Amino acid sequence: AEFVLAEGTYINNLRTELVDKAVDIKASHILFLDSDMRFPPDTLERLLKHKKDIIGANYRQRTQKEFTASKNNKFISSEGKSGLEEVDSIGLGIALIDMNVFTSKIRNIPKNAFAMPFDTEIGKFVGEDVYFCTIAKDFNFQVWVDHDLSQEVRHCGVVEF
């Protein structure tokens, strides 16, 4: 295993930089672990065993109200759930992505997959995580949540939630 760190201000640039480094070292997967996340030490092993293109933990947004995963334009809670669930998007704070998502000659997603565009329908900017998942699904990759792992992660802000 090789560990690479990226530091900076713009999360979309950092994620793109880390993917470029993972491609350069011919990594099989990339694991995003944001600095404001708390997670069990076996997180990587647990996510790898599922053998999914894109899989992550579901955790509360900083508002403490909603979770990050969504399906059919609704946030999905992991409370009281077990197993895996296919969703439309996840937060990338704890996410494992098979590098095939970035290197497949047939389904190679674009370089700007971590953009944060303005959505005129909702009148807000879309986060890089939601945009990435949307692009990945457009290229026929599946996005999954591990509800069991989700029970054990925390997203830190003023308080951990």
PDB file of all heavy atoms in Angstrom, residues 31-49:
ATOM      1  N   LEU A  31      -8.616   5.467  -1.978  1.00  0.00           N
ATOM      2  CA  LEU A  31      -9.444   5.607  -0.788  1.00  0.00           C
ATOM      3  C   LEU A  31      -9.381   7.057  -0.347  1.00  0.00           C
ATOM      4  O   LEU A  31      -8.314   7.551   0.011  1.00  0.00           O
ATOM      5  CB  LEU A  31      -8.941   4.698   0.342  1.00  0.00           C
ATOM      6  CG  LEU A  31      -9.671   4.814   1.683  1.00  0.00           C
ATOM      7  CD1 LEU A  31     -11.124   4.358   1.552  1.00  0.00           C
ATOM      8  CD2 LEU A  31      -8.943   4.003   2.747  1.00  0.00           C
ATOM      9  N   PHE A  32     -10.518   7.736  -0.406  1.00  0.00           N
ATOM     10  CA  PHE A  32     -10.595   9.102   0.097  1.00  0.00           C
ATOM     11  C   PHE A  32     -10.967   9.052   1.570  1.00  0.00           C
ATOM     12  O   PHE A  32     -11.970   8.424   1.942  1.00  0.00           O
ATOM     13  CB  PHE A  32     -11.646   9.921  -0.667  1.00  0.00           C
ATOM     14  CG  PHE A  32     -11.262  10.275  -2.066  1.00  0.00           C
ATOM     15  CD1 PHE A  32     -12.050   9.900  -3.135  1.00  0.00           C
ATOM     16  CD2 PHE A  32     -10.111  11.011  -2.321  1.00  0.00           C
ATOM     17  CE1 PHE A  32     -11.712  10.241  -4.432  1.00  0.00           C
ATOM     18  CE2 PHE A  32      -9.754  11.353  -3.626  1.00  0.00           C
ATOM     19  CZ  PHE A  32     -10.558  10.971  -4.675  1.00  0.00           C
ATOM     20  N   LEU A  33     -10.142   9.684   2.400  1.00  0.00           N
ATOM     21  CA  LEU A  33     -10.396   9.824   3.834  1.00  0.00           C
ATOM     22  C   LEU A  33     -10.175  11.286   4.177  1.00  0.00           C
ATOM     23  O   LEU A  33      -9.035  11.729   4.320  1.00  0.00           O
ATOM     24  CB  LEU A  33      -9.443   8.943   4.650  1.00  0.00           C
ATOM     25  CG  LEU A  33      -9.546   7.435   4.441  1.00  0.00           C
ATOM     26  CD1 LEU A  33      -8.393   6.722   5.128  1.00  0.00           C
ATOM     27  CD2 LEU A  33     -10.889   6.917   4.948  1.00  0.00           C
ATOM     28  N   ASP A  34     -11.245  12.030   4.286  1.00  0.00           N
ATOM     29  CA  ASP A  34     -11.122  13.456   4.579  1.00  0.00           C
ATOM     30  C   ASP A  34     -10.673  13.671   6.024  1.00  0.00           C
ATOM     31  O   ASP A  34     -10.966  12.857   6.901  1.00  0.00           O
ATOM     32  CB  ASP A  34     -12.441  14.169   4.318  1.00  0.00           C
ATOM     33  CG  ASP A  34     -12.780  14.286   2.844  1.00  0.00           C
ATOM     34  OD1 ASP A  34     -11.978  13.813   2.002  1.00  0.00           O
ATOM     35  OD2 ASP A  34     -13.837  14.855   2.537  1.00  0.00           O
ATOM     36  N   SER A  35      -9.992  14.772   6.252  1.00  0.00           N
ATOM     37  CA  SER A  35      -9.407  15.048   7.571  1.00  0.00           C
ATOM     38  C   SER A  35     -10.451  15.289   8.656  1.00  0.00           C
ATOM     39  O   SER A  35     -10.135  15.218   9.836  1.00  0.00           O
ATOM     40  CB  SER A  35      -8.456  16.247   7.493  1.00  0.00           C
ATOM     41  OG  SER A  35      -9.168  17.405   7.097  1.00  0.00           O
ATOM     42  N   ASP A  36     -11.700  15.532   8.280  1.00  0.00           N
ATOM     43  CA  ASP A  36     -12.743  15.757   9.285  1.00  0.00           C
ATOM     44  C   ASP A  36     -13.591  14.510   9.541  1.00  0.00           C
ATOM     45  O   ASP A  36     -14.674  14.589  10.099  1.00  0.00           O
ATOM     46  CB  ASP A  36     -13.639  16.937   8.896  1.00  0.00           C
ATOM     47  CG  ASP A  36     -14.368  16.736   7.573  1.00  0.00           C
ATOM     48  OD1 ASP A  36     -14.085  15.758   6.852  1.00  0.00           O
ATOM     49  OD2 ASP A  36     -15.233  17.575   7.264  1.00  0.00           O
ATOM     50  N   MET A  37     -13.078  13.344   9.140  1.00  0.00           N
ATOM     51  CA  MET A  37     -13.798  12.088   9.328  1.00  0.00           C
ATOM     52  C   MET A  37     -13.106  11.222  10.375  1.00  0.00           C
ATOM     53  O   MET A  37     -11.875  11.212  10.469  1.00  0.00           O
ATOM     54  CB  MET A  37     -13.870  11.310   8.008  1.00  0.00           C
ATOM     55  CG  MET A  37     -14.561  12.046   6.875  1.00  0.00           C
ATOM     56  SD  MET A  37     -16.250  12.576   7.216  1.00  0.00           S
ATOM     57  CE  MET A  37     -17.032  11.028   7.609  1.00  0.00           C
ATOM     58  N   ARG A  38     -13.888  10.487  11.156  1.00  0.00           N
ATOM     59  CA  ARG A  38     -13.400   9.486  12.108  1.00  0.00           C
ATOM     60  C   ARG A  38     -13.965   8.151  11.664  1.00  0.00           C
ATOM     61  O   ARG A  38     -15.152   8.047  11.335  1.00  0.00           O
ATOM     62  CB  ARG A  38     -13.849   9.813  13.535  1.00  0.00           C
ATOM     63  CG  ARG A  38     -13.385  11.176  14.025  1.00  0.00           C
ATOM     64  CD  ARG A  38     -11.846  11.275  14.104  1.00  0.00           C
ATOM     65  NE  ARG A  38     -11.424  12.629  14.412  1.00  0.00           N
ATOM     66  CZ  ARG A  38     -10.976  13.509  13.525  1.00  0.00           C
ATOM     67  NH1 ARG A  38     -10.888  13.183  12.249  1.00  0.00           N
ATOM     68  NH2 ARG A  38     -10.603  14.717  13.892  1.00  0.00           N
ATOM     69  N   PHE A  39     -13.121   7.112  11.670  1.00  0.00           N
ATOM     70  CA  PHE A  39     -13.506   5.840  11.081  1.00  0.00           C
ATOM     71  C   PHE A  39     -12.713   4.713  11.720  1.00  0.00           C
ATOM     72  O   PHE A  39     -11.642   4.938  12.292  1.00  0.00           O
ATOM     73  CB  PHE A  39     -13.254   5.868   9.570  1.00  0.00           C
ATOM     74  CG  PHE A  39     -11.897   6.410   9.216  1.00  0.00           C
ATOM     75  CD1 PHE A  39     -10.794   5.575   9.124  1.00  0.00           C
ATOM     76  CD2 PHE A  39     -11.714   7.773   9.008  1.00  0.00           C
ATOM     77  CE1 PHE A  39      -9.539   6.083   8.824  1.00  0.00           C
ATOM     78  CE2 PHE A  39     -10.464   8.292   8.702  1.00  0.00           C
ATOM     79  CZ  PHE A  39      -9.371   7.435   8.618  1.00  0.00           C
ATOM     80  N   PRO A  40     -13.215   3.473  11.647  1.00  0.00           N
ATOM     81  CA  PRO A  40     -12.505   2.339  12.225  1.00  0.00           C
ATOM     82  C   PRO A  40     -11.203   2.041  11.469  1.00  0.00           C
ATOM     83  O   PRO A  40     -11.097   2.328  10.269  1.00  0.00           O
ATOM     84  CB  PRO A  40     -13.472   1.171  12.074  1.00  0.00           C
ATOM     85  CG  PRO A  40     -14.739   1.703  11.546  1.00  0.00           C
ATOM     86  CD  PRO A  40     -14.506   3.111  11.083  1.00  0.00           C
ATOM     87  N   PRO A  41     -10.231   1.447  12.149  1.00  0.00           N
ATOM     88  CA  PRO A  41      -8.939   1.153  11.504  1.00  0.00           C
ATOM     89  C   PRO A  41      -9.031   0.157  10.349  1.00  0.00           C
ATOM     90  O   PRO A  41      -8.163   0.141   9.493  1.00  0.00           O
ATOM     91  CB  PRO A  41      -8.067   0.609  12.630  1.00  0.00           C
ATOM     92  CG  PRO A  41      -8.973   0.331  13.772  1.00  0.00           C
ATOM     93  CD  PRO A  41     -10.230   1.094  13.561  1.00  0.00           C
ATOM     94  N   ASP A  42     -10.066  -0.664  10.301  1.00  0.00           N
ATOM     95  CA  ASP A  42     -10.192  -1.653   9.226  1.00  0.00           C
ATOM     96  C   ASP A  42     -11.100  -1.176   8.083  1.00  0.00           C
ATOM     97  O   ASP A  42     -11.598  -1.982   7.297  1.00  0.00           O
ATOM     98  CB  ASP A  42     -10.689  -2.987   9.783  1.00  0.00           C
ATOM     99  CG  ASP A  42     -12.089  -2.903  10.382  1.00  0.00           C
ATOM    100  OD1 ASP A  42     -12.575  -1.771  10.662  1.00  0.00           O
ATOM    101  OD2 ASP A  42     -12.707  -3.971  10.584  1.00  0.00           O
ATOM    102  N   THR A  43     -11.292   0.129   7.971  1.00  0.00           N
ATOM    103  CA  THR A  43     -12.177   0.692   6.942  1.00  0.00           C
ATOM    104  C   THR A  43     -11.788   0.240   5.539  1.00  0.00           C
ATOM    105  O   THR A  43     -12.643  -0.195   4.759  1.00  0.00           O
ATOM    106  CB  THR A  43     -12.196   2.229   7.041  1.00  0.00           C
ATOM    107  OG1 THR A  43     -12.799   2.595   8.287  1.00  0.00           O
ATOM    108  CG2 THR A  43     -12.971   2.869   5.905  1.00  0.00           C
ATOM    109  N   LEU A  44     -10.517   0.327   5.194  1.00  0.00           N
ATOM    110  CA  LEU A  44     -10.071  -0.071   3.852  1.00  0.00           C
ATOM    111  C   LEU A  44     -10.411  -1.529   3.570  1.00  0.00           C
ATOM    112  O   LEU A  44     -10.986  -1.849   2.526  1.00  0.00           O
ATOM    113  CB  LEU A  44      -8.573   0.170   3.675  1.00  0.00           C
ATOM    114  CG  LEU A  44      -7.965  -0.344   2.367  1.00  0.00           C
ATOM    115  CD1 LEU A  44      -8.621   0.308   1.162  1.00  0.00           C
ATOM    116  CD2 LEU A  44      -6.460  -0.113   2.359  1.00  0.00           C
ATOM    117  N   GLU A  45     -10.072  -2.415   4.484  1.00  0.00           N
ATOM    118  CA  GLU A  45     -10.318  -3.842   4.275  1.00  0.00           C
ATOM    119  C   GLU A  45     -11.812  -4.116   4.112  1.00  0.00           C
ATOM    120  O   GLU A  45     -12.221  -4.913   3.271  1.00  0.00           O
ATOM    121  CB  GLU A  45      -9.768  -4.675   5.441  1.00  0.00           C
ATOM    122  CG  GLU A  45      -8.254  -4.689   5.533  1.00  0.00           C
ATOM    123  CD  GLU A  45      -7.661  -3.456   6.212  1.00  0.00           C
ATOM    124  OE1 GLU A  45      -8.415  -2.625   6.784  1.00  0.00           O
ATOM    125  OE2 GLU A  45      -6.424  -3.303   6.158  1.00  0.00           O
ATOM    126  N   ARG A  46     -12.627  -3.450   4.900  1.00  0.00           N
ATOM    127  CA  ARG A  46     -14.072  -3.668   4.843  1.00  0.00           C
ATOM    128  C   ARG A  46     -14.644  -3.212   3.507  1.00  0.00           C
ATOM    129  O   ARG A  46     -15.512  -3.879   2.933  1.00  0.00           O
ATOM    130  CB  ARG A  46     -14.747  -2.954   6.011  1.00  0.00           C
ATOM    131  CG  ARG A  46     -14.421  -3.639   7.333  1.00  0.00           C
ATOM    132  CD  ARG A  46     -14.794  -2.824   8.527  1.00  0.00           C
ATOM    133  NE  ARG A  46     -16.241  -2.726   8.709  1.00  0.00           N
ATOM    134  CZ  ARG A  46     -16.789  -2.152   9.777  1.00  0.00           C
ATOM    135  NH1 ARG A  46     -16.031  -1.668  10.747  1.00  0.00           N
ATOM    136  NH2 ARG A  46     -18.097  -2.087   9.881  1.00  0.00           N
ATOM    137  N   LEU A  47     -14.172  -2.075   3.007  1.00  0.00           N
ATOM    138  CA  LEU A  47     -14.675  -1.590   1.722  1.00  0.00           C
ATOM    139  C   LEU A  47     -14.152  -2.428   0.559  1.00  0.00           C
ATOM    140  O   LEU A  47     -14.889  -2.698  -0.394  1.00  0.00           O
ATOM    141  CB  LEU A  47     -14.326  -0.111   1.544  1.00  0.00           C
ATOM    142  CG  LEU A  47     -15.045   0.853   2.492  1.00  0.00           C
ATOM    143  CD1 LEU A  47     -14.522   2.274   2.306  1.00  0.00           C
ATOM    144  CD2 LEU A  47     -16.555   0.793   2.309  1.00  0.00           C
ATOM    145  N   LEU A  48     -12.895  -2.835   0.618  1.00  0.00           N
ATOM    146  CA  LEU A  48     -12.318  -3.657  -0.449  1.00  0.00           C
ATOM    147  C   LEU A  48     -13.058  -4.976  -0.634  1.00  0.00           C
ATOM    148  O   LEU A  48     -13.248  -5.433  -1.765  1.00  0.00           O
ATOM    149  CB  LEU A  48     -10.843  -3.955  -0.162  1.00  0.00           C
ATOM    150  CG  LEU A  48      -9.824  -2.934  -0.591  1.00  0.00           C
ATOM    151  CD1 LEU A  48      -8.447  -3.290  -0.023  1.00  0.00           C
ATOM    152  CD2 LEU A  48      -9.762  -2.779  -2.099  1.00  0.00           C
ATOM    153  N   LYS A  49     -13.477  -5.582   0.460  1.00  0.00           N
ATOM    154  CA  LYS A  49     -14.101  -6.916   0.367  1.00  0.00           C
ATOM    155  C   LYS A  49     -15.402  -6.904  -0.445  1.00  0.00           C
ATOM    156  O   LYS A  49     -15.821  -7.934  -0.946  1.00  0.00           O
ATOM    157  CB  LYS A  49     -14.325  -7.514   1.751  1.00  0.00           C
ATOM    158  CG  LYS A  49     -15.506  -6.973   2.487  1.00  0.00           C
ATOM    159  CD  LYS A  49     -15.753  -7.686   3.800  1.00  0.00           C
ATOM    160  CE  LYS A  49     -17.010  -7.093   4.429  1.00  0.00           C
ATOM    161  NZ  LYS A  49     -17.374  -7.726   5.644  1.00  0.00           N
TER     162      LYS A  49
END
